[in-house]
Amino acid sequence: MVVPLQNTIRDYAWGSETALAELLGVAPDGKPQAEMWMGAHESAPSVLPNGDTLYDVVSDDPAAVLGEETAERFEGRFPFLAKLLAAGQPLSIQAHPSRDQAIDGYERDEAAGIPRDAADRNYKDAWPKPEILIALGPFDALVGFRPLDRTIALLEALAPAGFGELTDQLRDGKLREAFTDFMSADRDAIRPLVGALGEAVAQYVGDAFELERETLSKLCADFPDDPGVLAALLLNRVRLERFDAVYLPAGNVHAYLHGLGFEVMANSDNVLRGGLTHKHIDVPELVSVVDFEPLDNPVLTASEAGVYETGCEYFAIHRVELDGGERVVEGVGPRIVCCVAGTIDAGGKESAVTLSAGRSAFAAGPEGPCILRGSGTAFVVSAR
């Protein structure tokens, strides 16, 4: 079967008030719209035309929906979650666990009796959350640790008062210690450092770090006593253009800043936060999952065939651009097709669904290849 999906829009405070509405071609309602979820995660599953949720359908008969091989590989769980993400304000400094870390953390939270919907629970499920974000327009983000020599050059260019110890730590290669010290500091200690950084950024007149200057200036003003502002000094500042991507495996520290994107991840809601948020922060747990290996170039582009090669075991993703033609997309297991521009007909063996921008469809695992026709752009996400 290929059927249209009705999807939940999450109204997180950092969401844009206009971006999703503009994509969908509807009037904004004046409220933040942060994420539209497409998939079978238990907290906000997509709804099928008959009123059943995709989560319930998968739970009732995993093999029939996912295909026998995919159902066995992922223990009857839908393997991925797709989202349209619209950031009007910065998201939290965060990282996601590996599979083993997620299992261990979930078991600890269960044993401690922390309710699964509790605000102070770290692990909502026992699954990892590797993810890819594909920009649908200019998209700003902090992604992975910047190589140390570049961070030292940034600090030397800005020369903020009180940052000598940090610079010395980085010269000694002590990235973990520097990050941990920042994230663990109380707000009284952080406030003068953020103030000094803000003053230094305001006085900076060079052009080598223009993106960093822009971001740090905003963060210092909006988060005057938040350690996440200082952590942002250590991360790569990237500006993605349309269809550029960043892939975030387990342990990658990141924060999306502004823009509209298409996001795919393993089917999990596990987030460990360290700053730029009013939500629960657990610095020791965050540090325990972080990968401190610097990342030289975090930007990923698709192949000529529109494939984003991540190596992730939970999903594969194709970008399909059509101008009145047809494209057959092979895939394994269940698929979600999301149109992001124009009008696309998504079909299978026996049925087809017409999708406009922001709309999506689901194809069951046994359905076979997806056949796309029309004029526009769509993403096809499948199990790997």
Side-chain angles (χ1 to χ4, degrees):
M1 62 176 177
V2 179
V3 296
L5 294 175
Q6 179 180 340
N7 304 305
T8 297
I9 294 179
R10 314 307 294 263
D11 59 353
Y12 307 136
W14 50 261
S16 168
E17 295 183 1
T18 59
L20 278 178
E22 290 174 356
L23 182 70
L24 291 164
V26 299
D29 64 6
K31 300 177 181 178
Q33 294 182 318
E35 295 178 345
M36 176 186 288
W37 288 27
M38 294 164 274
H41 193 276
E42 48 266 43
S43 66
S46 299
V47 179
L48 303 176
N50 65 2
D52 292 337
T53 71
L54 192 51
Y55 175 78
D56 287 337
V57 171
V58 173
S59 298
D60 289 343
D61 193 347
V65 181
L66 307 180
E68 291 186 4
E69 179 182 345
T70 301
E72 182 177 353
R73 281 185 63 204
F74 299 105
E75 302 173 19
R77 184 177 179 84
F78 202 97
F80 59 83
L81 176 65
K83 300 178 182 180
L84 287 167
L85 182 148
Q89 298 293 329
L91 281 67
S92 59
I93 298 282
Q94 60 185 259
H96 309 300
S98 68
R99 173 72 160 136
D100 288 344
Q101 290 165 341
I103 291 172
D104 178 66
Y106 181 78
E107 290 176 349
R108 281 188 278 115
D109 283 357
E110 288 286 281
I114 305 172
R116 294 184 190 179
D117 60 354
D120 61 346
R121 178 159 176 153
N122 287 322
Y123 294 91
K124 310 295 186 183
D125 50 63
W127 293 84
K129 193 184 174 187
E131 63 186 53
I132 184 173
L133 185 288
I134 303 169
L136 298 182
F139 195 101
D140 293 325
L142 299 167
V143 182
F145 289 105
R146 186 190 298 106
L148 294 184
D149 60 335
R150 297 184 201 169
T151 299
I152 293 169
L154 171 62
L155 285 165
E156 290 176 341
L158 296 176
F163 282 72
E165 182 179 350
L166 168 65
T167 305
D168 289 342
Q169 284 180 310
L170 297 181
R171 289 194 179 109
D172 292 339
K174 297 179 179 179
L175 178 58
R176 174 188 286 271
E177 291 84 352
F179 180 80
T180 304
D181 288 348
F182 271 170
M183 304 312 284
S184 303
D186 62 37
R187 293 184 182 273
D188 288 340
I190 290 297
R191 192 175 294 111
L193 289 174
V194 173
L197 180 59
E199 291 178 4
V201 169
Q203 296 171 9
Y204 176 68
V205 294
D207 56 10
F209 298 104
E210 179 57 28
L211 287 180
E212 288 83 357
R213 184 206 63 77
E214 173 187 305
T215 295
L216 291 171
S217 177
K218 178 174 175 53
L219 293 181
C220 287
D222 292 350
F223 302 91
D225 58 359
D226 193 308
V229 176
L230 306 182
L233 275 170
L234 305 175
L235 303 178
N236 287 297
R237 170 63 166 87
V238 299
R239 173 161 290 164
L240 305 176
E241 300 302 330
R242 185 169 172 83
F243 300 143
D244 286 345
V246 286
Y247 175 60
L248 309 169
N252 180 294
V253 179
H254 62 280
Y256 299 142
L257 300 174
H258 189 274
L260 178 65
F262 182 71
E263 187 179 29
V264 184
M265 62 198 64
N267 189 16
S268 172
D269 197 24
N270 284 327
V271 181
L272 297 166
R273 300 177 179 89
L276 309 185
T277 182
H278 297 295
K279 293 183 178 181
H280 175 60
I281 291 175
D282 186 333
V283 171
E285 193 66 31
L286 171 67
V287 171
S288 75
V289 307
V290 166
D291 180 356
F292 286 94
E293 185 67 28
L295 185 60
D296 182 55
N297 180 16
V299 179
L300 175 69
T301 57
S303 69
E304 291 186 3
V307 177
Y308 291 86
E309 297 289 356
T310 66
C312 179
E313 63 180 297
Y314 294 92
F315 58 80
I317 182 166
H318 294 70
R319 188 183 78 240
V320 177
E321 298 186 68
L322 296 173
D323 186 14
E326 175 181 292
R327 174 87 173 271
V328 178
V329 181
E330 302 288 345
V332 175
R335 269 125 320 140
I336 287 178
V337 182
C338 181
C339 178
V340 296
T343 302
I344 299 288
D345 290 336
K349 296 176 182 177
E350 301 178 354
S351 59
V353 175
T354 299
L355 303 174
S356 57
R359 271 68 181 189
S360 59
F362 167 70
E367 183 66 30
C370 278
I371 303 170
L372 305 184
R373 300 182 179 91
S375 296
T377 303
F379 291 101
V380 180
V381 188
S382 64
R384 182 172 289 279

